[in-house]
Amino acid sequence: MHLSRFNPLRFAHLPTPLEPLPRLTQALAAAADSSGRGRGGPDLWIKRDDCTGLAGGGNKTRKLEYLLGDALANDATTLVTQGAVQSNHVRQTAAAAARFGLACEIILEERTGSNALDYTLSGNVLLDELMGAKIRRVPGGTDMNAQLALVAAEVAARGETPYVIPGGGSNIIGALGYVECALEMVTQANAIGLEIDRIVTATGSAGTHAGLVAGLAVMGADIPVLGIGVRAPKEAQEASVYKLAVETAALLGHQDRVTREMVVADCDYVGAGYGLVDEAVIEALKLAARTDAILLDPVYTGKAMKGLIALSQKGAFDGETVVFLHTGGAQGLFGYQSVLDGHLS
Ligand SMILES: *Cc1c(COP(=O)(O)O)cnc(C)c1O
């Protein structure tokens, strides 16, 4: 695939470990047992992209290797991006900017309506400020792409050179990071003789899901990816993942390899909305933490695990080897302390 021709910068801690989750596997099997299905459930493994190393890490770090390569090739002096208040993408972008001596302009959308002090000031926001990003806040529902253009124009008017990174770093350049992850995961599985039946990941701004699908399709690996939605309804989510996967495969010279059927999102676990936590999410956070000491986040990986647990209880993964892609986000936990308070016993 010659990914190095896109000149990514190298700062992520790669490869991330691919590890078994023995105690969580056991817990899901026990749940199947008590539901009368026998010892079902998946043999569960985890791909530790929460350990990519950039100021807490997470999935945006792989995307940023390619985006920063492009930014520096374009002589950028200032990164401009946007996200929700507790955005992990924004935190990793602020970190990448610091690391390469760039300025960083952030626009935070008050998407959840929360004005709790921990949500608005702690968790990822605290880290953004610590790393020197300049933050502006706008109300929920703001046209964030228009805001990006506005700030980029301001930066240019000051004589700096802006580089705009879309929300979640999800464009064809960022998605290359997850093409590389697909390659890395298949290589690791081959090395240990692991046959992966399915990959499960949270899917939001689509770059992770699309990059994985494009990477697997281009290398001819027949492993289905299930995206668990965190915001959009199924049809919209699958459409945006499919579009980006085709565009990313096209950049690699193989746009015909991605078919519409390869893109599957289950958006039944969003709950009340993006960034809003329910009891099943808290149960998922607790189960992962108390079995294999895996720290999930309330917005993405906690919802994906909520979906994985529910689907597993319905028998959807019986007999399968499933890899859960841990996309990070635990730094956001501290922004949700008041939401979690009283639910952790
Ligand atoms: C951004 C994010 C995701 C979703 O990835 P996309 O590429 O935006 O779909 C999943 N998990 C975490 C922790 C994230 O920060």
Side-chain angles (χ1 to χ4, degrees):
M1 274 189 257
H2 305 300
L3 287 168
S4 57
R5 76 188 134 115
F6 299 103
N7 297 314
L9 297 182
R10 291 306 187 187
F11 48 84
H13 295 178
L14 303 181
T16 57
L18 176 65
E19 303 171 330
L21 289 175
R23 299 230 318 124
L24 189 48
T25 294
Q26 210 172 44
L28 295 178
D33 223 7
S34 64
S35 72
R37 284 191 298 107
R39 288 185 64 81
D43 178 17
L44 197 55
W45 288 62
I46 189 165
K47 176 67 172 158
R48 296 296 303 268
D49 272 19
D50 56 324
C51 301
T52 50
L54 183 68
N59 61 338
K60 305 314 180 306
T61 296
R62 285 187 193 266
K63 300 177 182 183
L64 285 162
E65 286 199 324
Y66 287 85
L67 291 162
L68 265 284
D70 191 47
L72 295 195
N74 286 286
D75 299 318
T77 60
T78 306
L79 301 182
V80 182
T81 198
Q82 59 97 356
V85 172
Q86 283 295 335
S87 167
N88 304 297
H89 159 69
V90 161
R91 184 237 319 147
Q92 288 161 87
T93 302
R99 179 77 187 270
F100 292 94
L102 305 174
C104 189
E105 297 269 350
I106 298 297
I107 312 154
L108 295 181
E109 180 190 2
E110 290 159 349
R111 205 183 285 173
T112 65
S114 169
N115 49 21
L117 282 183
D118 51 4
Y119 185 80
T120 54
L121 298 175
S122 186
N124 282 306
V125 186
L126 176 71
L127 302 180
D128 299 342
E129 290 187 326
L130 183 60
M131 292 184 284
K134 185 167 167 238
I135 293 176
R136 357 178 153 208
R137 297 172 191 253
V138 297
T142 300
D143 179 343
M144 297 305 281
N145 287 330
Q147 287 293 315
L148 283 176
L150 209 74
V151 173
E154 262 181 56
V155 168
R158 294 201 295 261
E160 301 168 29
T161 306
Y163 183 83
V164 174
I165 299 178
S170 286
N171 56 19
I172 49 174
I173 297 169
L176 289 173
Y178 273 86
V179 169
E180 185 175 323
C181 178
L183 199 63
E184 182 180 298
M185 204 181 324
V186 167
T187 305
Q188 287 173 313
N190 282 339
I192 58 174
L194 183 74
E195 249 182 74
I196 301 173
D197 294 310
R198 196 179 301 280
I199 297 166
V200 175
T201 180
T203 183
S205 68
T208 302
H209 191 174
L212 284 176
V213 167
L216 293 165
V218 169
M219 88 179 96
D222 193 14
I223 304 173
V225 179
L226 172 63
I228 310 268
V230 299
R231 188 177 187 188
K234 178 181 172 76
E235 223 166 280
Q237 187 65 25
E238 288 185 347
S240 61
V241 172
Y242 176 60
K243 179 170 184 287
L244 185 53
V246 169
E247 289 169 357
T248 305
L251 181 63
L252 297 166
H254 293 288
Q255 99 187 64
D256 49 315
R257 300 259 182 105
V258 173
T259 64
R260 179 63 186 77
E261 303 75 61
M262 289 176 183
V263 176
V264 181
D266 186 335
C267 300
D268 289 348
Y269 303 97
V270 176
Y274 175 88
L276 301 177
V277 175
D278 53 47
E279 201 56 50
V281 172
I282 298 176
E283 286 308 313
L285 296 179
K286 281 159 62 173
L287 184 65
R290 292 170 190 195
T291 50
D292 289 302
I294 298 298
L295 303 179
L296 302 177
D297 80 293
V299 183
Y300 295 97
T301 55
K303 270 193 190 158
M305 187 56 77
K306 166 190 167 183
L308 190 154
I309 292 168
L311 289 166
S312 171
Q313 283 169 350
K314 290 184 198 166
F317 307 125
D318 283 1
E320 288 189 359
T321 296
V322 171
V323 175
F324 179 76
L325 174 66
H326 192 334
T327 43
Q331 295 69 23
L333 279 169
F334 304 100
Y336 281 83
Q337 184 178 350
S338 52
V339 172
L340 299 176
D341 198 29
H343 296 271
L344 297 181
S345 58

